[in-house]
C-alpha cells in the first residue's frame, strides 16, 4: 500500500499538481473587444494576431518590436504568407511611430502649419538652400523609410497574396492592415510635400530612399496649378459645431491641400466675384513598381497618386476595382474655421468708417464641375456662409446629392439695401457662370437650385422674379411728375428697380424668409441697431451725386426712407412698413418655376396663421403657389434644424428625379 501511495506522489510531482493548466475566467464583452482592437496603430503595441504569429515561429514579440528587420526576414520562412506580411507591416508601423517626426511634425500631426507663397519664389538664395536641405532630409528620413516599408508590406498583403481582398472582407485583420497602409501613406505624403516644398509637378522625388513619382487624377490643370502652402491630414482634424464628419472608408488617405489666398496686389482681386476653394480635398495612394511579390518588396520605385474625391471614387489596382477613401467634411470645416466670415459679416454691418462696400463673393465648395448642377445658398441679415454650416455639410455628405450637385455660397454685405444687393448678387452670379462656362452649354449653367434664408430668401425671390416697371413706378410714385421722369431715366435707378429672372435657375427654396417684412425689425433693439449702421462712403457719394443731378428735395427723399441723405439699409428694408416691402411684396415669381417654403413656428400653442418664428410672422414667410410648405417647430434659424435639412434633401431628390425624368436638359 505504501508503495502505491509513493508511486502516486511521484506521479504528481512529475506531472504537476494535477489541476487543470487552463482556467476559464468570464470577462466582459467590451473588455475582450477592446483587447482585440489594440494594435500598433491604436494601442502602441503589437496586435494579438501579430504577437501570435511571432510566438508561433519561436520569435520574441517584444524583441521584434525593438528590432523588426531580422524578425521579418526569419518570419517569412516560418509563417503563412498573410501572417508574415500583416505582421511585417505592423512591425514597421511600430518603427515608424518610434522614429522622430523631423519633417514638419506640426503639419503632419495637426495640419496647421502655413508656408507663405513668397517662401517658394525662385531666385532667393536662402530659400533655395533651405529647400535643398529639407529635400535631402526627406530622402533619408528614418520615419519616412519606415512608413514606406509599412505601406509596402500592407500593399503586398492586400494585393499580392493568393487570396483576393474580397475573400477576406469579413476579417478584422484585413481592416487593420488597410489602416496601417492608409496611415503610412499619410506620413509619406507629408514627407513628399516637404521634399517638394509645395512645388506642383516636382517629380520624381527622393523620399525615404525611394524614387517617388506624383500623379494627379481628376483635376483640371487650372484647379491645382498653384503651389499649396500646407497639406493637412483629414483624419487628425476635429471640428466643433459640425454635427457630423462625412467620409468614405477605402484605400488611401484623405488630405486637405491648402492653397494661398489671392494676392492683395492683384489689381483684379476685388473685381473677381468667384472664389475657388482654397481648401481642396484630396485622396492619396501609394503604389509600388513590380509585377510580383518579390518585385514589389525589392522595388525602389513608387508612385503617389492624388485623386479628386468628388470626381473619382474608385481605382483599378491589381486587376480589381478598389474603393478610394475620402473625407468630404474636412476641407469644408477648415475653410469655415479659417475664413473669419462671421467677423467680416458683422464688421460690414456695423463698422463706422467704410471707404467702399465689399462686393458679393461666390465661394465654390469644390472645383467647378461642368456636369453637376449648382446649388446656390444665400444667407440672411448679419450673417455669412457660416449660417449653412450643417446644411451644406449634410449635402456634401449625401452621396446621391454629391454626385449630382455642387455648392456655391454667396457672401454679401447686409448693411446695403436689398435692391442694391439683388443687383450686385445678380451681377456676381452671372459673372461666375460666364467665367466657368463662357458658351453657356454646361449642365452647371442650367436648372440651378436657389436657396435663401431670411433676408437672403427675400433676395433669392427677387432673383427669380420679373419686376417689369412695377418696382420703379411704386418707388417713384411719391415724386412730382417732373422729378419722377428725371429719376426714371437714371441708369442706376433703372438697374436697381427693373430686373428680370436669372435664367440659370430652375427651382427655388425659401427658408424663414420675410417676403412681407419682419416685425422684429421694428422692435426697439433693432431700431437702435439700425441707427448704428453706416453705409460705405462710395455709396453715399454716388447717392449724393444722383440727388444733385435729379434735383430731388429732402421731403421726397424722406418718403423713400432716406435719413439725413442716407438711403435705406438692409435692415430698414425688412420693416413691413418700408417702401421696399410695399413695392416688392406682390412681385410674381417666374412663371413655371417651382418653389418651396420652409417656415419656423416657435410657439405651437398659437394657430399657424397667427404664429411666427420669433422674427418673421407666418403670413410673411408663406407664399401662395409654393409647390410645398414645411412648417417646423423652430426659431428663426430654421436652416440649422435637422428637420429643415431633411426637407431640403427631400426637395433636392425631387428636383433630381424630375430633372432626370425629362431627359435632363433639352439639347
Amino acid at each position: 500500500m505504501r508503495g502505491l501511495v509513493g508511486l502516486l506522489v511521484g506521479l504528481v510531482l512529475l506531472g504537476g499538481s494535477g489541476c487543470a493548466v487552463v482556467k476559464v475566467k468570464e470577462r466582459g464583452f467590451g473588455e475582450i473587444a477592446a483587447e482585440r482592437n489594440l494594435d500598433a496603430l491604436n494601442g502602441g503595441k503589437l496586435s494579438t494576431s501579430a504577437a501570435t504569429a511571432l510566438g508561433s515561429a519561436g520569435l520574441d514579440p517584444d524583441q521584434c518590436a525593438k528590432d523588426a528587420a531580422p524578425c521579418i526576414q526569419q518570419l517569412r520562412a516560418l509563417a503563412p504568407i498573410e501572417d508574415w506580411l500583416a505582421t511585417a507591416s505592423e512591425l514597421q508601423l511600430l518603427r515608424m511611430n518610434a522614429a522622430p517626426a523631423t519633417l514638419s511634425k506640426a503639419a503632419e500631426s495637426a495640419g496647421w502649419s502655413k508656408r507663405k507663397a513668397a517662401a517658394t519664389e525662385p531666385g532667393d538664395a536662402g530659400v533655395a538652400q533651405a529647400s535643398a536641405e529639407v529635400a535631402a532630409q526627406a530622402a533619408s528620413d528614418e520615419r519616412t523609410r519606415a512608413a514606406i516599408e509599412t505601406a509596402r508590406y500592407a500593399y503586398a498583403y492586400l494585393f499580392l497574396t493568393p487570396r483576393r481582398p474580397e475573400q477576406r472582407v469579413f476579417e478584422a485583420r484585413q481592416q487593420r492592415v488597410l489602416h496601417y497602409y492608409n496611415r503610412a501613406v499619410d506620413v509619406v505624403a507629408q514627407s513628399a510635400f516637404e521634399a517638394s516644398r509645395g512645388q506642383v509637378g516636382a517629380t520624381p522625388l527622393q523620399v525615404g530612399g525611394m524614387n517617388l513619382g506624383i500623379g494627379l487624377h481628376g483635376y483640371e490643370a487650372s484647379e491645382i496649378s498653384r503651389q499649396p502652402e500646407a497639406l493637412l491630414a483629414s483624419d487628425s482634424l476635429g471640428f466643433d459645431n459640425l454635427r457630423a464628419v462625412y467620409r468614405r472608408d477605402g484605400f488611401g488617405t484623405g488630405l486637405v491641400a491648402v492653397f494661398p489666398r489671392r494676392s492683395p496686389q492683384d489689381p483684379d482681386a476685388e473685381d473677381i466675384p468667384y472664389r475657388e476653394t482654397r481648401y481642396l480635398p484630396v485622396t492619396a495612394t501609394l503604389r509600388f513598381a513590380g509585377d510580383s511579390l518579390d518585385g514589389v518588396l525589392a522595388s525602389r520605385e513608387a508612385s503617389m497618386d492624388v485623386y479628386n474625391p468628388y470626381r473619382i471614387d474608385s481605382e483599378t489596382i491589381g486587376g480589381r476595382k478598389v474603393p478610394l477613401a475620402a473625407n468630404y467634411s474636412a476641407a469644408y470645416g477648415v475653410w469655415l474655421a479659417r475664413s473669419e466670415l462671421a467677423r467680416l459679416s458683422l464688421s460690414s454691418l456695423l463698422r463706422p468708417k467704410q471707404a467702399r462696400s465689399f462686393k458679393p463673393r461666390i465661394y465654390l465648395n469644390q472645383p467647378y464641375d461642368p456636369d453637376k448642377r449648382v446649388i446656390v445658398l444665400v444667407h440672411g441679415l448679419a450673417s455669412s456662409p457660416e449660417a449653412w454650416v450643417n446644411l451644406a455639410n449634410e449635402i456634401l455628405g449625401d452621396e446621391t446629392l454629391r454626385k449630382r450637385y455642387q455648392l456655391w455660397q454667396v457672401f454679401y454685405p447686409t448693411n446695403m439695401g436689398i435692391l442694391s444687393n439683388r443687383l450686385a448678387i445678380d451681377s456676381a452670379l452671372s459673372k461666375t457662370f460666364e467665367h466657368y462656362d463662357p458658351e453657356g452649354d454646361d449642365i452647371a449653367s442650367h436648372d440651378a437650385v436657389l436657396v435663401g434664408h431670411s433676408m437672403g430668401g427675400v433676395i433669392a425671390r427677387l432673383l427669380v422674379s420679373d419686376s417689369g416697371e412695377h418696382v420703379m413706378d411704386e418707388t417713384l410714385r411719391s415724386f412730382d411728375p417732373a422729378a419722377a421722369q428725371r429719376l426714371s431715366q437714371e441708369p442706376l435707378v433703372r438697374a436697381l428697380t427693373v430686373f428680370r429672372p436669372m435664367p440659370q435657375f430652375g427651382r427655388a427654396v425659401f427658408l424663414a424668409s420675410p417676403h412681407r417684412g419682419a416685425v422684429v425689425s421694428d422692435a426697439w433693439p433693432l431700431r437702435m441697431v439700425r441707427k448704428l449702421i453706416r453705409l460705405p462712403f462710395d455709396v453715399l457719394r454716388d447717392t449724393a451725386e444722383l440727388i444733385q443731378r435729379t434735383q430731388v428735395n429732402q421731403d421726397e427723399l424722406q418718403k423713400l426712407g432716406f435719413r439725413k441723405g442716407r438711403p435705406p439699409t438692409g435692415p430698414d428694408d425688412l420693416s413691413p412698413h418700408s417702401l421696399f416691402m410695399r413695392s416688392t411684396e406682390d412681385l410674381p415669381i417666374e412663371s413655371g418655376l417651382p418653389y418651396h417654403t420652409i417656415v419656423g413656428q416657435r410657439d405651437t400653442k398659437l394657430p399657424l396663421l397667427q404664429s411666427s418664428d420669433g422674427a418673421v410672422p407666418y403670413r410673411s414667410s408663406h407664399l401662395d403657389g409654393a409647390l410645398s410648405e414645411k412648417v417646423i417647430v423652430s426659431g428663426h434659424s430654421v436652416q440649422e434644424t435637422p428637420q429643415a435639412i431633411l426637407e431640403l434633401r427631400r426637395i433636392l431628390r425631387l428636383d433630381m428625379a424630375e430633372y432626370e425624368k425629362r431627359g435632363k436638359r433639352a439639347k
Side-chain angles (χ1 to χ4, degrees):
M1 186 67 178
R2 288 183 180 176
L4 179 60
V5 171
L7 178 61
L8 290 174
V9 170
L11 289 172
V12 168
L13 292 174
L14 290 171
S17 65
C19 298
V21 175
V22 177
K23 295 183 179 181
V24 176
K25 180 181 179 181
E26 189 172 350
R27 301 166 66 190
F29 179 80
E31 183 181 356
I32 296 294
E35 185 178 286
R36 288 175 179 171
N37 288 330
L38 288 176
D39 61 8
L41 191 61
N42 298 314
K45 56 182 291 186
L46 288 174
S47 64
T48 300
S49 60
T52 300
L54 292 168
S56 297
L59 300 170
D60 182 354
D62 291 335
Q63 183 60 37
C64 290
K66 297 176 182 177
D67 189 6
C71 290
I72 292 174
Q73 184 177 2
Q74 294 176 58
L75 188 62
R76 179 170 191 176
L78 301 173
I81 185 172
E82 290 184 7
D83 291 357
W84 166 54
L85 292 172
T87 302
S89 179
E90 191 169 358
L91 286 170
Q92 292 290 357
L93 182 63
L94 282 177
R95 174 186 162 215
M96 182 191 87
N97 291 338
T102 54
L103 284 175
S104 294
K105 181 177 179 180
E108 192 174 299
S109 60
W112 288 94
S113 72
K114 286 188 177 182
R115 179 181 295 108
K116 300 298 183 184
T120 57
E121 290 181 0
D124 187 321
V127 169
Q129 181 179 353
S131 298
E133 291 174 357
V134 172
Q137 189 178 12
S140 59
D141 180 62
E142 180 62 23
R143 190 163 189 252
T144 305
R145 285 178 178 273
I148 287 173
E149 295 309 309
T150 302
R152 187 198 302 273
Y153 283 111
Y155 181 88
Y157 169 89
L158 292 169
F159 301 111
L160 297 172
T161 56
R163 287 200 301 166
R164 299 185 299 275
E166 54 268 27
Q167 293 176 296
R168 298 183 297 240
V169 67
F170 296 116
E171 295 182 14
R173 182 170 64 179
Q174 176 161 272
Q175 287 300 311
R176 287 202 304 270
V177 173
L178 177 61
H179 292 157
Y180 303 159
Y181 172 86
N182 290 347
R183 173 59 184 141
V185 172
D186 175 23
V187 173
V188 176
Q190 298 286 355
S191 297
F193 175 76
E194 294 300 324
S196 68
R197 301 302 284 177
Q199 298 283 348
V200 175
T203 185
L205 302 169
Q206 297 296 315
V207 176
M210 297 286 287
N211 293 320
L212 187 66
I214 307 294
L216 304 179
H217 308 276
Y219 298 101
E220 300 293 336
S222 59
E223 295 169 356
I224 201 164
S225 59
R226 292 179 296 160
Q227 300 172 4
E229 64 183 18
L231 193 65
L232 318 183
S234 297
D235 289 341
S236 70
L237 303 175
F239 301 97
D240 293 332
N241 302 319
L242 199 63
R243 281 199 290 260
V245 173
Y246 288 99
R247 58 192 304 278
R248 181 178 62 229
D249 290 329
F251 187 66
T253 187
L255 301 162
V256 180
V258 181
F259 292 89
R261 295 179 185 275
R262 181 180 284 112
S263 172
Q265 284 77 34
D266 183 350
D268 298 324
E270 285 300 317
D271 294 326
I272 297 175
Y274 42 86
R275 297 292 191 272
E276 296 175 345
T277 177
R278 292 183 53 227
Y279 303 94
L280 196 66
V282 302
T283 297
T285 68
L286 187 64
R287 287 197 259 186
F288 298 87
D291 298 327
S292 65
L293 176 61
D294 287 332
V296 165
L297 295 180
S299 174
R300 310 320 300 169
E301 306 284 338
S303 64
M304 176 157 285
D305 293 293
V306 180
Y307 298 90
N308 180 346
Y310 285 111
R311 292 177 182 156
I312 300 175
D313 57 14
S314 63
E315 181 60 286
T316 300
I317 301 175
R320 54 184 57 87
K321 192 174 183 180
V322 177
L324 295 174
N327 190 315
Y328 297 102
S329 298
Y332 178 58
V334 174
W335 171 58
L336 289 175
R338 289 190 176 184
S339 62
E340 298 184 323
L341 292 172
R343 182 186 62 80
L344 290 172
S345 66
L346 288 175
S347 67
S348 73
L349 188 67
L350 298 175
R351 192 172 60 195
K353 294 181 180 180
Q354 302 177 47
R356 54 180 296 189
S357 60
F358 78 80
K359 298 178 181 179
R361 305 169 185 173
I362 313 299
Y363 288 99
L364 278 65
N365 283 120
Q366 67 180 83
Y368 173 77
D369 192 324
D371 297 322
K372 289 183 182 179
R373 289 192 295 142
V374 175
I375 300 172
V376 175
L377 304 178
V378 189
H379 63 78
L381 176 66
S383 188
S384 74
E386 288 186 329
W388 303 108
V389 52
N390 285 299
L391 184 147
N393 187 46
E394 293 285 341
I395 294 174
L396 293 172
D398 187 316
E399 183 177 3
T400 301
L401 300 179
R402 186 175 63 243
K403 287 183 175 181
R404 293 166 174 82
Y405 297 97
Q406 56 193 316
L407 282 176
W408 294 2
Q409 299 200 48
V410 178
F411 184 34
Y412 65 99
T414 59
N415 60 335
M416 302 293 292
I418 292 179
L419 287 176
S420 294
N421 268 321
R422 187 221 67 82
L423 174 62
I425 292 172
D426 184 314
S427 174
L429 284 170
S430 296
K431 289 179 180 178
T432 303
F433 278 113
E434 184 178 0
H435 169 75
Y436 289 105
D437 182 21
E439 303 299 325
D441 55 5
D442 289 347
I443 288 174
S445 293
H446 301 265
D447 299 300
V449 179
L450 181 60
V451 182
H453 170 249
S454 189
M455 188 168 85
V458 177
I459 295 172
R461 182 171 64 87
L462 299 183
L463 291 172
V464 292
S465 296
D466 190 341
S467 71
E469 302 278 319
H470 174 77
V471 175
M472 185 175 66
D473 291 344
E474 289 296 313
T475 302
L476 302 180
R477 187 180 298 278
S478 61
F479 289 85
D480 68 71
Q485 178 63 26
R486 290 194 300 272
L487 284 167
S488 68
Q489 301 305 312
E490 282 286 336
L492 177 59
V493 173
R494 295 195 68 85
L496 290 171
T497 60
V498 180
F499 47 86
R500 293 184 54 76
M502 290 191 68
Q504 292 89 351
F505 292 109
R507 190 177 299 266
V509 185
F510 311 109
L511 295 91
S513 302
H515 302 292
R516 297 171 189 83
V519 292
V520 73
S521 65
D522 285 343
W524 73 266
L526 194 53
R527 288 204 309 269
M528 295 298 295
V529 172
R530 285 162 55 183
K531 291 180 180 180
L532 296 175
I533 294 174
R534 298 291 182 266
L535 291 173
F537 173 76
D538 59 345
V539 173
L540 298 175
R541 180 198 61 211
D542 293 345
T543 302
E545 291 175 354
L546 175 64
I547 292 170
Q548 186 176 15
R549 283 198 307 272
T550 55
Q551 303 173 7
V552 179
N553 63 51
Q554 292 299 318
D555 291 338
E556 290 172 320
L557 289 175
Q558 192 169 355
K559 293 177 184 178
L560 293 180
F562 276 63
R563 291 201 300 269
K564 298 180 180 180
R566 189 204 75 173
T569 65
D572 292 333
D573 285 341
L574 290 177
S575 168
H577 309 295
S578 68
L579 174 61
F580 167 80
M581 283 297 170
R582 294 199 306 271
S583 62
T584 62
E585 62 182 1
D586 295 324
L587 281 184
I589 291 175
E590 180 182 8
S591 177
L593 184 138
Y595 56 93
H596 310 256
T597 60
I598 300 175
V599 302
Q601 184 181 16
R602 190 168 66 173
D603 187 352
T604 56
K605 296 178 182 178
L606 292 174
L608 181 60
L609 292 176
Q610 300 173 20
S611 69
S612 78
D613 61 19
V616 179
Y618 169 79
R619 56 181 172 77
S620 181
S621 57
H622 170 79
L623 285 177
D624 292 334
L627 195 62
S628 67
E629 178 180 84
K630 180 72 172 180
V631 180
I632 294 171
V633 179
S634 169
H636 184 57
S637 296
V638 67
Q639 86 286 356
E640 297 179 351
T641 65
Q643 295 86 350
I645 296 171
L646 285 171
E647 173 65 4
L648 180 60
R649 289 168 67 179
R650 182 196 70 81
I651 292 169
L652 291 172
R653 279 181 162 79
L654 171 68
D655 177 73
M656 180 181 68
E658 292 184 356
Y659 178 77
E660 293 177 354
K661 184 178 179 180
R662 62 177 182 263
K664 298 185 177 178
R665 179 166 51 88
K667 300 293 185 182

